[in-house]
Amino acid sequence: MDQKIMDLARLVEQGRGLVVFSGAGMSTESGIPDYRSPGGIWERHRPVMYPEFKAHAWAREDYWRFYQEWFPGFGQAAPNAGHRALGRLHAAGLLRGVVTQNVDGLHQAGGVPSSAVVEVHGNVFDTACLNGCGHQEPTAEVLERFTRGDKDPACPGCGGVLKPTTISFGQNLDPTALERAAQLCASANPLIVVGSSLVVTPAAELPLAALAAGGALAILNRDPTPLDERAALLFRRPAGEALDALAGALLKN
Ligand SMILES: [Zn+2]
């Protein structure tokens, strides 16, 4: 067994609660590309800014057209060894929760219950009414209406504007999700950052909450991050394999 994985397992065993903060690198092994990378979907679609989306039916039509292309890949994706390892750790009482920048729902599919996952950038599968009437429905159903010819699908309850819960350019993060994420990170020891380059704010600042509260930080990412110097352990290896090894060390399976 890899000595660094053993060191990480010891941090988890001796700490007061493991929390994982994940980004795009967590899901690349599930075939979900980092959409900010070169060749990503934003090179074929003009980004729709949130104020435009709220104000104009044509912008909403552009956005739903983009979603028609973007959405199917998520339905086909399956959790990878890393997601499943976190599911096993949660089931064993060794993972307090996950804060994720990902919108793919794969942590839940991998076995971490929704109540223990904070999605700071929303989720592609959920659509909600922007009027705050409380209406929610599966994105797949709204897309079906769009595909059948409803170019500006509206809330069936109040007629308001419907939008997937994924955060758009120019849209603020949900303050409730952000507050839950900050609390979870502040309670973490250790906090493991997985597959995030920690450059997109404000989510990228969440690991600082763990450090400020005295929690240890471990970073598992392909590329350097601004917090590497503050990490107790640093891994440059695929997320799935490393988390699987960690679960193996902790669960002695
Ligand atoms: Zn509504």
Side-chain angles (χ1 to χ4, degrees), residues 129-135 155-162:
C129 174
L130 291 184
N131 272 355
C133 80
H135 175 77
C155 173
C158 75
V161 169
L162 289 179

Side-chain angles (χ1 to χ4, degrees), residues 179-221:
E179 178 58 29
R180 277 185 66 211
Q183 283 177 6
L184 198 51
C185 288
S187 80
N189 188 20
L191 179 75
I192 308 181
V193 170
V194 183
S196 174
S197 45
L198 300 178
V199 288
V200 181
T201 54
E205 289 159 10
L206 289 168
L208 293 173
L211 287 168
L217 181 67
I219 295 178
L220 167 51
N221 195 52

